Amino acid sequence: MAPYSLLVSRLQKALGVRQYHVASVLCQRAKVAMSHFEPNEYIRYDLLEKNINIVRKRLNRPLTLSEKIVYGHLDDPANQEIERGKTYLRLRPDRVAMQDATAQMAMLQFISSGLPKVAVPSTIHCDHLIEAQLGGEKDLRRAKDINQEVYNFLATAGAKYGVGFWRPGSGIIHQIILENYAYPGVLLIGTDSHTPNGGGLGGICIGVGGADAVDVMAGIPWELKCPKVIGVKLTGSLSGWTSPKDVILKVAGILTVKGGTGAIVEYHGPGVDSISCTGMATICNMGAEIGATTSVFPYNHRMKKYLSKTGRADIANLADEFKDHLVPDSGCHYDQLIEINLSELKPHINGPFTPDLAHPVAEVGSVAEKEGWPLDIRVGLIGSCTNSSYEDMGRSAAVAKQALAHGLKCKSQFTITPGSEQIRATIERDGYAQILRDVGGIVLANACGPCIGQWDRKDIKKGEKNTIVTSYNRNFTGRNDANPETHAFVTSPEIVTALAIAGTLKFNPETDFLTGKDGKKFKLEAPDADELPRAEFDPGQDTYQHPPKDSSGQQVDVSPTSQRLQLLEPFDKWDGQDLEDLQILIKVKGKCTTDHISAAGPWLKFRGHLDNISNNLLIGAINVENGKANSVRNAVTQEFGPVPDTARYYKKHGIRWVVIGDENYGEGSSREHAALEPRHLGGRAIITKSFARIHETNLKKQGLLPLTFADPADYNKIHPVDKLTIQGLKDFAPGKPLTCIIKHPNGTQETILLNHTFNETQIEWFRAGSALNRMKELQK
């Protein structure tokens, strides 16, 4: 048998792997490290420039900023076919970032690949597994104890395979990336849907599933459908109560939750300069809620200021040299153009139950009365990866300070989540944290917490109708507290703070008065706060673990009896035949996000154990047959039962099954468990009216067939009691529709067409059983 190193070399050659560490030290105009943590990994603006020039000459037209960065990272810029919205690009991302919930499966897949080290700088961030209960320090200690096995696995896997490890308490992945790793022109992929946060520093940062991350960590060119580009021209300037959050809340109302699918949203125009760097990050972060591939801002002086304040002036100086490549060309073309006058933009609040239901704050109270939404605000929550910057905390503290001056505290419960240890330490030093405590707030751990359902909420019972307001990004049914009757609204941190003080949705801080402890009425003034601390940031505790130079002795243990971790078994290979007589597991009615397909909250503890977490498969999806969640008919026994139990029954009896879905199926989180679980439990295809981008890719990676109705009206032709046969797989080819035969119980049949977006590489994934199986085939 050939030596292991030779096998790896052959695999890299077969897959077109770049020799990253060699390429990264080639001569360039100036050697500037990508981060303080990787002093020997350099920013390659020279390569970006070279590739852009090649593509510009080929296309012979002005380029958008998105195109410059994306095409500047092409594996083969001279020959790559480039057509927006149609061709698949082979790209070379600069780095990978993983949060702890998704990193478990990503690292398990990387271990299965058999490769010894990651090929690009990669990091793991422990932010998802810390439940909000009592407050920061107590919750962190509890999380370290409960999740010790998982944290140990991630720390040792990081050490073994060359991945940097940010310990629990470090902060939220996207804030850590903005502070340390993002830079203008970077191409970064992350295993979290809000990875686009890095666009606030002028990078193309894209959320993906773990299997995509494994490709990049293995040094394989990463495939992305060539994005369209939506331009958002900003004019005027922000002022008063209007914040950067209001820009994306407005855009979400315009484009809806799927309006950005397949596109990068590129902000530009004179209004950009009125937004802080962290404000731009807020806007890009929540671009995930319109389905966008990512969002980005052009490099400007606000980014330079932020880079310098976070100890990266050398990167800012280098970016200045290459600035022409970090802004759009004059006269570039956008597939769609939206214009927003920031001077006219009013504070917004979006919700409930969907992030694109936009209301001006001035109107939400009357709308709530009309719709029967609870006006009383039970809890106000600020922070999250979207809004936890120094500026956010400062503006909220400015509002709180005014209330305190009049003897008031919050009428609602109030929680504060710092975005990182650096933010926590700095707002403690500068007094913001104490002001927020004084007004009635509880400072939680530096983690995601209630934003992703990690909230041990005690003030209501499940099923109790109530309202909360947050500065988060996502407000799907049950998202924050697992209560389907919680009406969650999304707005800016300062508006959350004002509403929590007033205690009602009917309060408009721009026009309404509060009554002070002395009985006198007063109006809150629009908050004003520094975008960055006047002194240097306080870094707080050191929470980073460098991977060792020599990891040959490092062990990564996964107990065969563990309930939290499970080594992966390869999925079965396609048998070469059409899919005959597929049973319909569930026909889903209406919105079906990844929260519906694979719930978070208490299920996060099983993210490293595929079989255990599969017990949450589709438990939140509404069955069209009976209008209920987690209740489907077993086609054999005719009894109704939980979706996972029914899927396991089918799997045990060799019955292959299919899911029928509605519009934008799989919107929301990047969690690939929503694709792994149906594959593990015997699913073969998901047929919908349309898919969210990340979920569609995740399904392909795991060997499932994401298919769409050629005629969306055909959704109505399929009934839960039918059986389906998918024909044409023997001649499966890009752009060629498949045929579906619907077999009704009365013996009649109908034939419909199904579309797909598979390319040749993705068809190979399906034939091999999964993308990981295909990688192993090439390795052999």
Side-chain angles (χ1 to χ4, degrees), residues 114 622 721:
I622 301 301
V721 293

Side-chain angles (χ1 to χ4, degrees), residues 691-770:
F691 285 98
R693 174 191 63 85
I694 300 176
H695 187 60
E696 181 179 18
T697 301
N698 287 345
L699 291 168
K700 292 176 182 178
K701 287 279 185 178
Q702 304 306 334
L704 279 154
L705 287 171
L707 307 171
T708 56
F709 297 105
D711 180 357
D714 287 343
Y715 167 88
N716 298 315
K717 294 180 179 179
I718 297 176
H719 305 286
V721 293
D722 295 337
K723 289 187 177 181
L724 306 181
T725 291
I726 299 173
Q727 295 182 331
L729 293 173
K730 293 179 183 179
D731 302 314
F732 199 12
K736 184 177 180 181
L738 299 171
T739 301
C740 177
I741 299 174
I742 308 169
K743 300 179 180 180
H744 302 299
N746 62 7
T748 61
Q749 295 185 1
E750 294 182 74
T751 300
I752 62 174
L753 289 180
L754 301 175
N755 291 333
H756 64 86
T757 60
F758 281 79
N759 62 18
E760 290 287 1
T761 300
Q762 294 165 349
I763 289 173
E764 289 301 316
W765 299 343
F766 171 73
R767 288 173 175 156
S770 70

Side-chain angles (χ1 to χ4, degrees), residues 526-764:
D528 184 34
D530 294 331
E531 65 180 277
L532 295 166
R534 297 181 185 182
E536 298 304 310
F537 275 109
D538 183 340
Q541 300 178 40
D542 183 6
T543 55
Y544 178 71
Q545 172 187 293
H546 285 274
K549 291 182 179 179
D550 181 7
S551 62
S552 57
Q554 179 68 55
Q555 296 296 316
V556 181
D557 296 322
V558 176
S559 169
T561 61
S562 173
Q563 294 301 300
R564 299 286 301 270
L565 298 165
Q566 181 186 48
L567 292 174
L568 297 175
E569 295 291 334
F571 289 131
D572 60 299
K573 189 175 181 179
W574 176 56
D575 62 9
Q577 303 299 313
D578 289 337
L579 295 173
E580 300 277 351
D581 293 329
L582 295 173
Q583 188 63 55
I584 296 171
L585 176 67
I586 182 173
K587 182 180 178 183
V588 177
K589 178 183 178 181
K591 184 185 284 287
C592 189
T593 72
T594 47
D595 281 333
H596 295 88
I597 304 168
S598 176
W603 292 95
L604 284 170
K605 61 178 173 287
F606 296 126
R607 285 285 181 88
H609 197 294
L610 180 54
D611 194 55
N612 282 346
I613 200 170
S614 292
N615 288 321
N616 75 2
L617 175 66
L618 286 159
I619 61 175
I622 301 301
N623 180 9
V624 74
E625 187 174 6
N626 57 12
K628 295 181 180 180
N630 202 25
S631 175
V632 295
R633 184 195 302 271
N634 184 313
V636 178
T637 67
Q638 294 301 306
E639 296 177 353
F640 280 85
V643 183
D645 293 357
T646 308
R648 288 187 186 277
Y649 180 95
Y650 290 162
K651 180 179 180 181
K652 181 179 178 180
H653 291 85
I655 300 170
R656 297 185 293 186
W657 51 265
V658 60
V659 170
I660 306 300
D662 212 317
E663 293 279 6
N664 207 32
Y665 183 91
E667 73 173 91
S669 169
S670 68
R671 70 190 65 152
E672 66 179 342
H673 299 77
L676 283 158
E677 291 173 35
R679 183 73 165 96
H680 174 64
L681 294 184
R684 300 308 305 177
I686 313 291
I687 306 173
T688 72
K689 293 180 182 178
S690 62
F691 285 98
R693 174 191 63 85
I694 300 176
H695 187 60
E696 181 179 18
T697 301
N698 287 345
L699 291 168
K700 292 176 182 178
K701 287 279 185 178
Q702 304 306 334
L704 279 154
L705 287 171
L707 307 171
T708 56
F709 297 105
D711 180 357
D714 287 343
Y715 167 88
N716 298 315
K717 294 180 179 179
I718 297 176
H719 305 286
V721 293
D722 295 337
K723 289 187 177 181
L724 306 181
T725 291
I726 299 173
Q727 295 182 331
L729 293 173
K730 293 179 183 179
D731 302 314
F732 199 12
K736 184 177 180 181
L738 299 171
T739 301
C740 177
I741 299 174
I742 308 169
K743 300 179 180 180
H744 302 299
N746 62 7
T748 61
Q749 295 185 1
E750 294 182 74
T751 300
I752 62 174
L753 289 180
L754 301 175
N755 291 333
H756 64 86
T757 60
F758 281 79
N759 62 18
E760 290 287 1
T761 300
Q762 294 165 349
I763 289 173
E764 289 301 316

